[in-house]
Amino acid sequence: MSVLVVSGTGTDVGKTVVTAAVAAVAAARGERVAVLKPAQTGVAPGEPGDLAAVARLTGGAVRTRELARYPDPLAPLTAARRAGLDPVTPRAAVAAARELERDHDLVLVEGAGGLLVRFTPEGTLVDVAAGLGAAVLVVAAAGLGTLNHTELTTRALRAAGVACAGIVVGSMPAAPDLATTCNLADLPEVTGVPLVGALPEGAGALDAQAFAPVARHSLGPRLGGEWHTPEP
């Protein structure tokens, strides 16, 4: 696995923190890691975006690259149109990932929002993953409603012939309610995809030193960590 695409079931599910966790665990193993963000939305020029969070959480141990940013907090295509800027094409994202792959052991490509959010009128993150021949790691919410959103996402991947590397809960509450507890067992059952991690709520606010062990203990062996799905 030299390239891994990270997508969410929607916005604000913890995609950037999970990306940082995968990067931190790989970097701690001595791997050369790069994180590519093809399109950053909702951030003005000069302001810190998702890659700044990745750099902070990993202590600057990974290389980051952003292809374009658009100030409005919208889907990349819509945000590009409103800003009067060119959209980022899947082909450009694939080319950038391939370039980073030459000098890195692992390249993480973080999408924007959900899997089918448009980069161009015809292009989504699915096209980026397919062009790279890469699997997609799906970041899901913890609570009520996540079963539907996650199954739709994994079905879309399956329909496109793109492999799913697993599901990670992006923000697991310290005191989960009944739905959240049940979802840990139900997510792999309804999707046919293994649950490979769960990041604790608030992990993104940690500094790099505190984040490193949290990342290791929150990701499963498939992602280089030590987490195991709790017994029901």
Side-chain angles (χ1 to χ4, degrees):
M1 182 178 64
S2 59
V3 181
L4 179 65
V5 176
V6 183
S7 184
T9 55
T11 59
D12 298 325
V13 294
K15 188 168 62 270
T16 297
V17 178
V18 171
T19 300
V22 176
V25 169
R29 292 197 304 266
E31 295 187 21
R32 299 167 298 168
V33 183
V35 178
L36 172 67
K37 182 80 174 181
Q40 172 72 68
T41 64
V43 180
E47 292 181 348
D50 291 342
L51 293 183
V54 170
R56 177 180 58 80
L57 290 168
T58 60
V62 305
R63 180 181 176 186
T64 60
R65 183 177 178 189
E66 180 184 284
L67 297 188
R69 65 168 51 194
Y70 311 107
D72 290 325
L74 303 168
L77 176 59
T78 306
R81 284 173 171 166
R82 284 184 54 86
L85 299 172
D86 292 333
V88 174
T89 66
R91 179 177 295 183
V94 168
R98 289 292 184 219
E99 182 180 342
L100 290 169
E101 189 181 17
R102 288 198 290 267
D103 300 318
H104 296 85
D105 302 303
L106 175 64
V107 178
L108 300 170
V109 182
E110 184 188 340
L115 182 69
L116 298 182
V117 166
R118 299 284 167 173
F119 287 107
T120 65
E122 294 83 26
T124 69
L125 194 64
V126 172
D127 300 291
V128 177
L132 290 166
V136 175
L137 183 66
V138 175
V139 181
L144 196 64
T146 196
L147 297 181
N148 178 61
H149 296 155
T150 309
E151 185 172 2
L152 287 171
T153 300
T154 55
R155 282 192 181 194
L157 287 172
R158 199 171 292 119
V162 174
C164 183
I167 300 164
V168 176
V169 173
S171 181
M172 188 71 183
D177 60 14
L178 178 61
T180 298
T181 301
C182 291
N183 286 340
L184 292 178
D186 291 344
L187 277 167
E189 183 176 337
V190 302
T191 63
V193 174
L195 188 64
V196 295
L199 271 290
E201 188 176 43
L206 299 173
D207 61 26
Q209 185 175 2
F211 184 73
V214 169
R216 185 174 69 254
H217 291 298
S218 301
L219 298 176
R222 290 188 179 206
L223 298 172
E226 302 169 356
W227 182 88
H228 295 279
T229 304
E231 294 294 330

